[in-house]
Amino acid sequence: MKFGQPSTLPRWAQLSVLPVLNLLAALLVTGFVTWLIGEDPWECLQLLVSGAFGSGEGIGYTLFYTTGFIFTGLAVATAFHAGLFNIGGEGQAYLAGLGVTLVVLAFDHTLPPLVLVPLCILAAMGFGAAWAFIPGWLQAKRGSHIVVTTIMFNFIAYSLMLYLIGHHLIEAGSQNPTTREFGHNAWIPALHQLAAGVGIELPNTPLNLTFIMALLACVLFYLLVWHSRWGFQLRTVGVNESAARYAGINVSKTIMLAMCISGALSGFAAINELLGSTHRMNVSFTNGVGFVGIAVALMGRNHPVGIILSALLFGGLTQGGLELSFEKPVITREMIIFIQGLIILFCGALENLFEPFIAGLFKRKEDK
Amino acid sequence: MTDFAIELAGISKRFGAVQANRDVSMHIAKGSIHGIIGENGAGKSTLMSILYGYYQADSGSIRVNGREVRIRNSQEAIRLGIGMVHQHFMLVDTFTVLENIVLGAEGGLLLKQGMEQARAHLLQLNRDYSLEVDPDALVGELGVGLQQRVEILKALYRGADVLILDEPTAVLTPQEADHLFCILRALREQGKTVILITHKLREVMDITDAVSVMRAGTVVGNVRTADVDKEKLADLMVGRKVSLKVDKAERTPGAAVLEVRGLSLTDARGVKLLDGLDFQVRAGEIVGIAGVSGNGQSELLEVLAGMVEPTSGEIRYHGKDLLQEKSSQPRAALYRQKGIAHVPEDRSREGLVKSFPMFENAILGYHNDKTISRRGLFSRQALLARTRDFIRQFDIRPDNAQLRVGLLSGGNQQKVVLAREIHANPDLLLIGQPTRGVDIGAIEFIHRRLVELRDAGKAILLVSVELEEILALSDRILVMAGGQISGEVAAREADTVSLGLLMGGHKQ
Ligand SMILES: Nc1ncnc2c1ncn2[C@@H]1O[C@H](COP(=O)(O)OP(=O)(O)OP(=O)(O)O)[C@@H](O)[C@H]1O
Ligand SMILES: [Mg+2]
């Protein structure tokens, strides 16, 4: 296919056949590398898949990781619909974690859970939004490119947190750069606990209520972007700024708001991790969730259904990869990141690699 | 037997439910200028895209210089000596003319050597066809007319023997169009073949040797230009008699709807784009603004639509100065709310979002309308109903409200914008180049709608580079030159000669 020529593939094939082929290609290359380092690719794949989806426990962990990825994926997608490439999900989640921690450390022995948790969520959204607002403002009013500023803001966030945790928030007497454990009032219930309440037994995993919030966020996202007035303005600004001005849309306001929503969504990744799982904050709690969100949005084509599916893929990869590296010491965490990279390469950058070939097949079928 | 440069036989092309070309056959003689005319959506651009390798025909065959060929992409078309001047220029603004022309055909590893050869070749072409393009000018600083000539140069540089031009004059002033035709004649003299798509019958009569008329995807006539006249062509094209004159009764205008006083706009470099304008548009009158484009007309429309803030002056609307109004929303939104509608000159950049479906474009600018939202969400039903209404009233084809607007033919895109702005039932309609790229049947219809609006007591400010359009529609004509109003004439007394003088800047 020549650049700029419209695809001749039907839409459903573009959305299903191509991603699957791209994924297979990524796996094929991974298999080859696995073979090169002396492991049996087929066995590794089996371990990976069964680690992620083979047991109730595996599934629970997979969905736990998926939760964070859905939120950061939605965050990237929101900005993307306004024509902005928000690379700063990581830093925004980070700062959101700070907001959560401050609220928790101040109130976890005084406020009841039903007040404290929503307050934490608001703090996460607020801090995430504020950290995204500054690059948004700089872009809208000063023309500083958002890709550059959000990257820088990731570093600033990291340094800031390192300092705060090292000097102020660290648990008294601790050697590790973490805060004290949060009081139980600030714990978001895990799904297995809730299920136990109604007599269903689920394996013990950190999968928590935030997952339900993620699914709700997807529905909201869909309605907001494609069916609301605001989403209409957002998308107009994203694809044609002149038309937006013509239509009387406040472009800089839309840009800033889009970034705030994006940052607030990233904030939920911190909620999932801090209140749902670790119950304390450490320096590396975000662990790349914001960066994976970029890949998730890219692969999911900025649509909630796509985002759920690709978040599930990356969630499975994270969980299965961990299992795999337990079984096979040669396969390290870096190897898993390598696989993620390959998937991003094939599904993002080389998205249309197989297009001409598949289009040819379709054409022949039609001709008959 | 004549030699044919291009022979198309039985070409068909379908896009989903739309049969864009159906069994099209056409013979284009070598060394001739061949016109293709037809209604909006008749399939002219599609046919040329097939010839240029941009689309593949579903069936049919193409012969170039008598040899049957398959053209799979535009590189192959170029190799066969076919060049195309796109309606939207494919040029790099920050490159010079020379760099743009060499781009993609640098020839050799070392740029410098290729450049020197290219320059020589370019100057030769420049001379042969009197293109008058400076090879070292930055493309971004050239006007549309010159950019178009750069496109022509580019095609010739790549060895084009057959040059396709898709509505080249839609964006040109009459003077620029005349120059273009000189170039095309020069090309013909040198034995090149030109295929010209246009909606302007005058141009067809002036310059072509033969014409193919298309309707609904098929060719309904191949004629020699010498054997027909405008009326016959119009008849062939639309299948009925078209009146090229606008019927319009005398009418006494009412109170001033718009009154502009001392309106000025100075750009960042201190150039006066608008220079102390004073005029009125009253209820029930059409005021036409004539002028060579680039004399402030575009800026005037943008200022009046609230997209650009003037430097000084007053814009009185129903007696109140709009510039004094305070509002939290952008001016464009405020003005629209007050009943000022705007058909922008540049529909594809401003008036439409090409990747959106028709039903979303139908509400662009009116998305805050209460009637189309329920509980904060758009009512898809209401949007679709409104769009179907537009489609029916303006005969937009294909009649699919879900279709992306970018996939509509040029003229049909224009109809979407017009339908939207007229539907708003504005008190004041600002309208720039209303019939750019629109077929004559539709022009007749659009002109009728504008006169209807005027008869309903609305005020209309019309900007057009088509003098004939200005003369046909306006009750009063203002002429703009150098950001000022150089004169005013009642439409009854105006003619092209007196207007031409005023447009040249001669004050009354
Ligand atoms: N890529 C596409 N997908 C779907 N429909 C298309 C596509 N390209 C063109 N069409 C449809 O094919 C028909 C012919 O379009 P085309 O652009 O060839 O018309 P045209 O004769 O050039 O019209 P105009 O005078 O308005 O430019 C139109 O109905 C148009 O909507
Ligand atoms: Mg066309």
Side-chain angles (χ1 to χ4, degrees):
Chain A
M1 192 176 80
K2 286 286 156 308
F3 179 75
Q5 262 170 353
S7 172
T8 48
L9 273 186
R11 207 174 137 67
W12 65 264
Q14 273 182 46
L15 293 181
S16 59
V17 180
L18 284 185
V20 169
L21 272 182
N22 289 333
L23 191 61
L24 285 180
L27 286 180
L28 217 65
V29 177
T30 311
F32 179 67
V33 175
T34 318
W35 174 77
L36 274 186
I37 60 174
E39 284 293 341
D40 175 2
W42 182 239
E43 190 196 346
C44 286
L45 183 66
Q46 280 176 324
L47 279 172
L48 185 92
V49 173
S50 67
F53 301 105
S55 64
E57 206 181 358
I59 293 174
Y61 272 95
T62 294
L63 291 181
F64 167 71
Y65 294 122
T66 303
T67 307
F69 296 155
I70 289 179
F71 275 117
T72 50
L74 289 177
V76 174
T78 307
F80 190 85
H81 281 295
L84 304 164
F85 204 12
N86 178 11
I87 312 277
E90 187 79 5
Q92 289 143 22
Y94 224 149
L95 258 282
L98 175 65
V100 172
T101 306
L102 292 178
V103 171
V104 173
L105 295 185
F107 299 116
D108 61 347
H109 298 307
T110 46
L111 291 179
L114 276 180
V115 181
L116 184 59
V117 170
L119 202 61
C120 287
I121 292 179
L122 284 180
M125 291 172 70
F127 273 65
W131 202 244
F133 169 78
I134 308 171
W137 182 84
L138 285 170
Q139 168 83 62
K141 301 285 184 188
R142 291 277 172 273
S144 324
H145 204 287
I146 206 127
V147 170
V148 179
T149 45
T150 48
I151 290 177
M152 296 196 301
F153 268 59
N154 283 338
F155 286 104
I156 301 175
Y158 185 71
S159 314
L160 181 71
M161 296 297 276
L162 218 52
Y163 167 77
L164 284 178
I165 295 182
H167 293 85
H168 298 286
L169 301 174
I170 193 167
E171 183 172 16
S174 163
Q175 293 300 309
N176 295 328
T178 68
T179 62
R180 69 169 166 82
E181 192 180 38
F182 298 165
H184 280 262
N185 285 359
W187 293 23
I188 287 186
L191 287 192
H192 71 88
Q193 291 166 328
L194 293 176
V198 290
I200 305 169
E201 200 176 327
L202 290 182
N204 182 350
T205 65
L207 179 63
N208 61 82
L209 262 188
T210 322
F211 177 63
I212 309 294
M213 293 185 224
L215 297 182
L216 281 177
C218 286
V219 177
L220 273 179
F221 178 91
Y222 173 75
L223 289 176
L224 193 70
V225 172
W226 281 283
H227 290 272
S228 82
R229 223 155 45 191
W230 188 75
F232 179 79
Q233 302 187 348
L234 180 82
R235 287 181 293 123
T236 305
V237 169
V239 290
N240 186 343
E241 227 178 273
S242 313
R245 292 225 164 73
Y246 161 79
I249 295 169
N250 191 333
V251 174
S252 49
K253 191 171 136 196
T254 308
I255 286 180
M256 291 188 284
L257 199 57
M259 279 306 283
C260 287
I261 293 182
S262 178
L265 282 166
S266 292
F268 277 91
I271 296 283
N272 183 46
E273 186 71 29
L274 298 181
L275 303 191
S277 168
T278 53
H279 305 129
R280 60 168 79 226
M281 185 171 73
N282 61 45
V283 245
S284 58
F285 80 92
T286 53
N287 210 356
V289 67
F291 295 120
V292 175
I294 299 169
V296 167
L298 202 67
M299 236 189 114
R301 288 169 185 255
N302 301 298
H303 189 283
V305 174
I307 287 175
I308 292 178
L309 291 176
S310 54
L312 191 64
L313 173 70
F314 280 94
L317 209 58
T318 308
Q319 163 59 14
L322 282 172
E323 290 290 320
L324 180 60
S325 55
F326 283 140
E327 298 281 326
K328 304 263 175 196
V330 258
I331 308 234
T332 55
R333 210 181 98 76
E334 282 67 35
M335 182 75 185
I336 302 303
I337 295 177
F338 171 71
I339 302 177
Q340 287 187 356
L342 277 177
I343 292 180
I344 296 170
L345 185 70
F346 276 96
C347 298
L350 303 175
E351 193 177 40
N352 290 324
L353 189 64
F354 300 108
E355 219 281 354
F357 171 66
I358 300 297
L361 286 184
F362 267 88
K363 189 125 191 85
R364 229 163 297 151
K365 210 177 77 192
E366 256 175 35
D367 287 350
K368 271 181 206 154
Chain B
M1 197 190 93
T2 1
D3 256 350
F4 290 117
I6 303 283
E7 292 160 87
L8 303 172
I11 301 277
S12 293
K13 176 75 188 173
R14 167 184 283 283
F15 294 109
V18 181
Q19 187 78 46
N21 287 150
R22 180 182 288 123
D23 195 20
V24 171
S25 299
M26 209 177 270
H27 297 253
I28 294 162
K30 229 178 234 166
S32 73
I33 299 181
H34 190 105
I36 301 181
I37 60 174
E39 289 179 291
N40 295 132
K44 306 177 295 290
S45 297
T46 304
L47 187 67
M48 290 304 110
S49 300
I50 289 171
L51 182 56
Y52 194 59
Y54 200 58
Y55 293 137
Q56 304 295 301
D58 299 336
S59 60
S61 68
I62 303 176
R63 282 166 181 273
V64 176
N65 295 325
R67 203 163 54 84
E68 175 146 0
V69 292
R70 269 200 68 192
I71 306 176
R72 265 165 301 223
N73 53 46
S74 30
Q75 279 86 337
E76 292 190 6
I78 291 169
R79 231 170 289 138
L80 290 165
I82 300 171
M84 178 133 166
V85 175
H86 295 270
Q87 192 158 6
H88 296 278
F89 307 139
M90 315 259 176
L91 298 171
V92 184
D93 277 356
T94 51
F95 277 16
T96 64
V97 170
L98 182 64
E99 286 168 334
N100 261 291
I101 284 166
V102 174
L103 186 67
E106 291 86 352
L109 212 54
L110 288 177
L111 193 56
K112 190 160 183 305
Q113 190 190 359
M115 286 296 236
E116 285 315 312
Q117 281 172 7
R119 179 186 296 276
H121 188 175
L122 195 82
L123 289 173
Q124 181 66 41
L125 288 172
N126 231 337
R127 231 169 304 129
D128 286 354
Y129 305 107
S130 61
L131 286 160
E132 296 170 21
V133 181
D134 171 11
D136 298 311
L138 276 185
V139 161
E141 289 173 3
L142 301 178
V144 266
L146 275 167
Q147 290 199 3
Q148 189 172 63
R149 278 181 241 158
V150 176
E151 283 279 13
I152 295 175
L153 257 180
K154 203 165 131 184
L156 293 175
Y157 180 77
R158 281 164 177 59
D161 285 318
V162 179
L163 195 64
I164 306 168
L165 298 119
D166 193 349
E167 296 188 37
T169 54
V171 291
L172 300 183
T173 62
Q175 292 80 351
E176 285 173 327
D178 286 343
H179 190 159
L180 174 68
F181 289 154
C182 288
I183 296 168
L184 296 187
R185 288 201 185 92
L187 285 169
R188 174 172 56 187
E189 261 155 44
Q190 305 277 331
K192 308 265 181 196
T193 308
V194 176
I195 303 177
L196 176 74
I197 299 179
T198 181
H199 285 295
K200 299 176 188 165
L201 298 180
R202 182 168 37 86
E203 296 175 353
V204 175
M205 298 308 300
D206 273 2
I207 192 173
T208 62
D209 301 302
V211 197
S212 299
V213 185
M214 292 186 71
R215 196 194 309 158
T218 61
V219 172
V220 291
N222 282 307
V223 291
R224 283 185 27 214
T225 312
D227 299 341
V228 288
D229 56 20
K230 273 200 218 175
E231 281 67 31
K232 179 86 199 312
L233 283 179
D235 200 26
L236 264 176
M237 220 168 112
V238 192
R240 64 178 163 85
K241 280 269 169 289
V242 184
S243 146
L244 298 167
K245 247 183 67 60
V246 183
D247 289 321
K248 177 159 124 285
E250 277 295 318
R251 210 172 171 288
T252 339
V257 174
L258 174 76
E259 187 175 0
V260 168
R261 289 190 196 155
L263 194 66
S264 294
L265 175 71
T266 311
D267 73 4
R269 286 181 291 181
V271 179
K272 285 210 158 178
L273 300 170
L274 299 178
D275 191 359
L277 298 182
D278 294 289
F279 66 87
Q280 283 191 345
V281 186
R282 289 167 294 180
E285 83 172 337
I286 299 179
V287 173
I289 298 212
V292 179
S293 58
N295 274 281
Q297 302 96 314
S298 313
E299 288 77 12
L300 176 62
L301 281 187
E302 287 184 344
V303 166
L304 294 178
M307 296 168 67
V308 173
E309 200 92 358
T311 324
S312 61
E314 287 176 20
I315 301 174
R316 298 198 159 267
Y317 176 67
H318 289 307
K320 278 215 303 231
D321 187 2
L322 285 175
L323 295 170
Q324 300 304 324
E325 306 254 346
K326 296 269 170 291
S327 165
S328 58
Q329 47 182 343
R331 291 203 168 275
L334 176 74
Y335 292 9
R336 199 170 267 121
Q337 216 174 49
K338 289 183 171 289
I340 301 179
H342 176 203
V343 176
E345 290 186 299
D346 189 343
R347 65 160 175 259
S348 54
R349 208 169 57 88
E350 288 178 346
L352 293 168
V353 182
K354 289 206 170 174
S355 56
F356 284 8
M358 218 194 291
F359 69 83
E360 286 190 329
N361 276 288
I363 56 158
L364 186 71
Y366 300 94
H367 47 277
N368 290 324
D369 220 344
K370 294 276 180 309
T371 58
I372 50 173
S373 293
R374 240 179 298 119
R375 275 179 264 116
L377 296 184
F378 284 141
S379 151
R380 191 55 66 88
Q381 239 61 48
L383 260 56
L384 288 174
R386 180 179 288 198
T387 313
R388 291 206 192 94
D389 216 34
F390 292 178
I391 291 174
R392 196 160 6 84
Q393 280 187 40
F394 282 78
D395 189 24
I396 298 169
R397 286 178 240 175
D399 60 349
N400 175 1
Q402 316 258 5
L403 199 68
R404 265 193 295 155
V405 154
L407 295 180
L408 292 180
S409 76
N412 281 299
Q413 292 182 13
Q414 178 72 3
K415 291 185 194 170
V416 174
V417 181
L418 279 163
R420 180 182 70 210
E421 301 304 316
I422 290 179
H423 169 90
N425 194 24
D427 278 357
L428 172 63
L429 178 63
L430 308 168
I431 185 163
Q433 321 299 349
T435 52
R436 180 174 275 177
V438 172
D439 69 52
I440 49 166
I443 290 178
E444 185 191 22
F445 170 77
I446 290 167
H447 284 177
R448 252 205 333 258
R449 289 303 300 259
L450 292 178
V451 171
E452 267 170 40
L453 267 184
R454 158 207 185 250
D455 289 343
K458 310 294 184 184
I460 300 178
L461 183 67
L462 164 77
V463 168
S464 173
V465 290
E466 300 288 329
L467 269 189
E468 284 169 33
E469 179 161 79
I470 297 266
L471 284 168
L473 283 175
S474 314
D475 297 303
R476 261 184 322 128
I477 301 172
L478 304 175
V479 182
M480 273 184 88
Q484 295 180 324
I485 291 178
S486 58
E488 177 180 335
V489 249
R492 258 173 293 112
E493 295 148 19
D495 57 57
T496 26
V497 180
S498 62
L499 285 180
L501 273 176
L502 287 169
M503 282 162 63
H506 293 270
K507 289 239 178 186
Q508 249 171 345

